[in-house]
Amino acid sequence: MAKRTTVYVCQACGAATPKWAGKCESCGEWNSIVKEAGAPPGLGGGVVGQKGRPMRKGRVVPLVGLSGAIDSAPRIASGIVELDRVTGGGFVRGSALLVGGDPGIGKSTLLIQAAATLARRGARVVYVSGEEAVAQVRLRAERLGLADTDVMLAAETSVEDILTTLADGRAPDLVVVDSIQTLWTEVVDSAPGTVAQVRTAAQAMIRYAKESGATVVLVGHVTKEGTIAGPRVVEHMVDAVLYFEGDGARHFRVLRAVKNRFGPTDEIGVFEMTGRGLREVPNPSALFMGARDTAAPGAAVFAGMEGTRPVLVEVQALVAPTTLGTARRAVVGWDGNRLSMILAVLEAHCGVRFGQHDVYLNVAGGLRIAEPAADLAVAAALVSSLAGVALGADCVYFGEVALSGAVRPVAHAPARLKEAEKLGFSRAVAPRTKPGEGEPPALAVAPVDQLVDLVARIASGRSVETGGPRRVASAT
C-alpha cells in the first residue's frame, strides 16, 4: 500500500506547508494551519483516478475546425431569464459553476426551480443534497409547486458513490450538488469541510463535468466576510462563480457573476422572494424606486448600468453637525474611498465644507454600486442634504467627477436616458456630450461641465432642472 504523506494546510487559503506554524505566510491568518494526511502518490493530487492513464481516442483534437466542436455543445437555457442573463445565455455543457451566498438567501430555491424547469423540457437533471434528506427536498418542492417534475433526487455525501451513480445510464444534462462543503472522498483522511476535502471533491466533480459533458453546479457556503468558504483555488478551478446577494430584511435578491469564462461578469439578475419561491423582476428600476420620498433633501436618482441593463436607484445622503472631535463617514452600497474623494473635491474646488459634519451615504434598496458614474448623483445628494434643498423629483443624475472638479462623460448615456424616460422622468443632469453621439434624447438634459456649477445652483435654492427658486440655504 502506498504511503501517505503528512502536510499542514491553511484552512483559510489552502496553502500547504511541510510543518506547522502559528501564522500562514500566504494569507496572514493566525491559528489556521491544521495537520492533514495527504493523498498517497499515484492519485493525481488526490483526485479519484489512476496514474498514467492514456488519453482515450478522440481526446486530442486539432485546433483547426474547433468551431464544429463548439456547435456540438450548445448552451442549455434554464428557462429562468434572469439566471440565463447572468450566465451569458444559459448553462454551457461540460462546465462547472460555483454558487455562493448567505444561509437562507435562496440558493437552493433558485437551483430547484431551475432544475424543475429543465426537467419539464425533457432534460435529465440530478439534484444531490448533502445537507437535507430526500423527503426534505421533496417537501420544499411541494411548497414551490414543483413536485410533479421528473428531477432525480439523492441524499449523499460520498464522492465515489455520487460518481458511480451518475455513471449508470445516460449522462445527465445538469447536476446540482448542495453543497460542496458536505462532500468527502476516501483518498483524503480528513473531515468533510476541510480544505483538502473541499479541494479534492470539487476537482473530482469538475473532472466528471468535463468528461461527461454534463453541467455541474456546486453550492458553496460563505464565510462571515461574505466570501465562499474553502480554498480560493476552487474558484479558479470552476468556469463561473455566482454570488446570490440580499438579506432577510428585503424581499429581493440579486444574482451577480464575479467570474465567467463563457459570458460577461457585469450582468445581474434580480429576483423577488415570495411564498411560492423566487420570482423574476424584469424591471429592477421600478423595484428600487418604490416608495420614494420626493420632497426630502439629500436624495438623488442615479441612472446606472449593470452590464447591459440600465438601472435607476436612489442615492440618499445625510449631512449632520458632528458631536465628536472627528467627523464620521458611513457608507452603505458604495465605495467609501470614492466618497472621501468626492468630499475632497467639493471642499477644494466648490468651497463646501464637511469637516464639522457627519456624512452618511446609502444606496436605497440594498443595491451595491461600483461604477464611477454615480459620482455626480452622490455629490448632488450631499450638497442637497447640507443645504436643505430638495432636488427635482423628475430628474436623474449621472457622470464621473474628476479630481479637478470637471464632470466627465460616461458610457451608455442613451440607454440611461431611455430607462429614465420609461419610468416617467423628464429631466437629467449629465456631462456634456459631443454632437452626433447617439440619437437626441427625449429628456431635457442639463449639461454640467464643472461640479461647482451644480453646487452653485443647489446652494442658491434653485433647481438645476428649472432654475426656479425653492428655498434659500447656504452650503458653505
Side-chain angles (χ1 to χ4, degrees), residues 150-391:
D150 191 18
V151 177
M152 291 174 285
L153 301 178
E156 184 56 63
T157 58
S158 172
V159 175
E160 286 78 13
D161 293 346
I162 293 174
L163 295 179
T164 301
T165 304
L166 294 177
D168 186 14
R170 181 173 65 92
D173 299 295
L174 176 67
V175 178
V176 179
V177 178
D178 187 7
S179 64
I180 186 61
Q181 278 81 11
T182 62
L183 299 190
W184 63 278
T185 174
E186 297 176 354
V187 301
V188 177
D189 292 336
S190 59
T194 59
V195 169
Q197 286 284 7
V198 171
R199 179 177 59 242
T200 308
Q203 191 171 0
M205 297 305 302
I206 293 171
R207 170 176 289 186
Y208 170 78
K210 304 303 180 184
E211 293 181 347
S212 65
T215 300
V216 175
V217 179
L218 307 175
V219 178
H221 297 164
V222 297
T223 62
K224 60 182 179 180
E225 290 81 13
T227 59
I228 297 180
R232 299 286 296 186
V233 67
V234 175
E235 298 188 29
H236 300 301
M237 293 161 56
V238 297
D239 299 304
V241 179
L242 310 181
Y243 274 90
F244 213 35
E245 303 171 353
D247 53 62
R250 297 181 176 89
H251 58 279
F252 72 91
R253 307 289 187 265
V254 176
L255 182 65
R256 189 185 306 270
V258 298
K259 173 188 176 181
N260 194 352
R261 291 173 178 164
F262 309 111
T265 57
D266 52 2
E267 294 284 2
I268 64 169
V270 183
F271 300 86
E272 181 181 7
M273 180 62 75
T274 65
R276 301 285 292 179
L278 291 167
R279 183 182 65 85
E280 299 178 72
V281 179
N283 188 3
S285 299
L287 178 65
F288 295 136
M289 296 298 296
R292 184 168 66 99
D293 187 2
T294 58
V301 178
F302 167 57
M305 294 292 298
E306 291 290 346
T308 59
R309 165 187 285 178
V311 176
L312 267 60
V313 65
E314 185 181 46
V315 177
Q316 302 171 347
L318 175 61
V319 180
T322 182
T323 58
L324 305 175
T326 303
R328 185 180 181 184
R329 308 287 186 253
V331 187
V332 177
W334 205 48
D335 185 10
N337 296 326
R338 198 80 186 176
L339 173 63
S340 300
M341 188 199 77
I342 296 298
L343 294 175
V345 172
L346 287 171
E347 293 199 14
H349 298 287
C350 305
V352 184
R353 308 301 179 188
F354 292 94
Q356 302 300 319
H357 293 79
D358 293 332
V359 176
Y360 302 89
L361 187 71
N362 175 54
V363 178
L367 186 67
R368 180 167 49 88
I369 300 177
E371 60 173 336
D375 291 350
L376 194 63
V378 170
L382 291 171
V383 177
S384 170
S385 178
L386 183 62
V389 178
L391 301 175

Side-chain angles (χ1 to χ4, degrees), residues 119-133:
R120 285 172 175 169
R121 296 184 174 185
R124 188 168 186 258
V125 182
V126 178
Y127 190 98
V128 181
S129 176
E131 301 177 349
E132 298 175 300

